[in-house]
Amino acid sequence: MGILIVDDSPDQQLLLKAVLNKAGHQDLLIADSAASAYDHLGINQPQPNGQAPAIDLILMDFLMPGIDGVAATQRIKSLENLRDIPVIVVTAKTALGDLQAAFAAGAMDFITKPVNSVELLARVNSALMLKKEMDCRKTREMELRRSNAELQQALREVKVLKGLVPICASCKKIRNDQGFWQQLEEYIQQHSEAEFSHGLCTPCIKKHYPGVYPD
């Protein structure tokens, strides 16, 4: 699962990458600013069909020049195709107001600097499990919506005969809704999924082809 590390410190980038690599997380992307992170996420150049990028977690530095981590998180969470990506803020600022700002922007968790590898991996694994569950739920919901759409389409296409059907007692033609008389099989085909094959019953064969059956 893809992890985007957003931090302006090369040393911090190397530390996070080393800890994650050692734990088996190989699909890592590095951004040294919020603007660079926007490029990885397709914010500056949206991806086709509004698809989300292959990123399942963002480790966001709190303090960065230009756009800080709180503002960047808020921007990411404002976009429909990105809002389900968990964001963990990595910060040396632990004042209550700073953490409240991060959570208000949409961060799901925080890690304090200097980073403890055990804490980092525990929080990363928890966030990735959450993302996986969310992806599974979204897939199930999409499949359910598709099945419901197919069912509704099938129901719209079903034709059912019901009510009083006027039929001629002599020729057996049926009067349709427009007042015209139709052959029985033509009328039924238009109002149901039935199909017809034609033949002759035994009494009709005897009547029309008396030589076929002996008396």
Side-chain angles (χ1 to χ4, degrees):
M1 301 182 77
I3 301 175
L4 174 61
I5 299 171
V6 187
D7 201 300
D8 64 312
S9 168
D11 291 339
Q12 187 70 13
Q13 294 172 12
L14 289 174
L15 172 62
L16 294 175
K17 186 175 180 180
V19 173
L20 293 171
N21 280 159
K22 187 175 181 180
H25 300 286
Q26 303 299 322
D27 190 7
L28 305 177
L29 296 172
I30 305 295
D32 60 4
S33 66
S36 178
Y38 292 169
D39 289 334
H40 285 298
L41 293 166
I43 294 177
N44 296 328
Q45 190 172 8
Q47 298 191 11
N49 302 321
Q51 295 180 346
I55 294 173
D56 300 289
L57 173 63
I58 301 172
L59 298 177
M60 180 74 71
D61 187 17
F62 191 95
L63 292 176
M64 293 184 292
I67 304 171
D68 64 23
V70 172
T73 299
Q74 192 170 29
R75 174 73 190 285
I76 292 166
K77 291 295 182 177
S78 70
L79 301 174
E80 184 175 358
N81 66 323
L82 302 178
R83 65 182 51 162
D84 289 338
I85 302 176
V87 177
I88 297 178
V89 170
V90 184
T91 178
K93 302 183 68 175
T94 57
L96 181 60
D98 294 326
L99 298 180
Q100 287 177 333
F103 288 128
M108 67 160 291
D109 207 343
F110 72 95
I111 300 171
T112 57
K113 295 180 180 180
V115 172
N116 177 284
S117 60
V118 174
E119 180 187 13
L120 171 66
L121 294 177
R123 295 181 186 274
V124 164
N125 290 335
S126 177
L128 290 177
M129 287 179 60
L130 174 63
K131 179 60 165 55
K132 188 174 182 179
E133 290 175 359
M134 292 174 65
D135 288 345
C136 290
R137 175 181 56 79
K138 288 170 65 176
T139 299
R140 289 194 298 269
E141 289 176 351
M142 289 177 62
E143 291 174 350
L144 180 60
R145 284 196 295 268
R146 182 168 59 252
S147 297
N148 285 339
E150 291 173 354
L151 176 60
Q152 292 299 321
Q153 180 63 27
L155 290 174
R156 285 193 292 269
E157 293 175 354
V158 169
K159 299 177 180 179
V160 180
L161 283 174
K162 60 183 179 179
L164 185 65
V165 179
I167 185 169
C168 175
S170 175
C171 69
K172 306 305 180 184
K173 287 183 179 180
I174 293 176
R175 189 176 64 219
N176 61 25
D177 297 335
Q178 288 74 42
F180 298 104
W181 292 93
Q182 289 181 291
Q183 293 291 339
L184 175 64
E185 60 267 33
E186 181 184 356
Y187 182 87
I188 293 178
Q189 282 180 329
Q190 289 181 357
H191 292 79
S192 74
E193 301 300 319
E195 296 183 358
F196 290 87
S197 64
H198 291 83
L200 289 173
C201 65
T202 301
C204 289
I205 292 177
K206 289 181 177 181
K207 177 181 178 181
H208 296 288
Y209 304 97
V212 174
Y213 282 93
D215 293 334

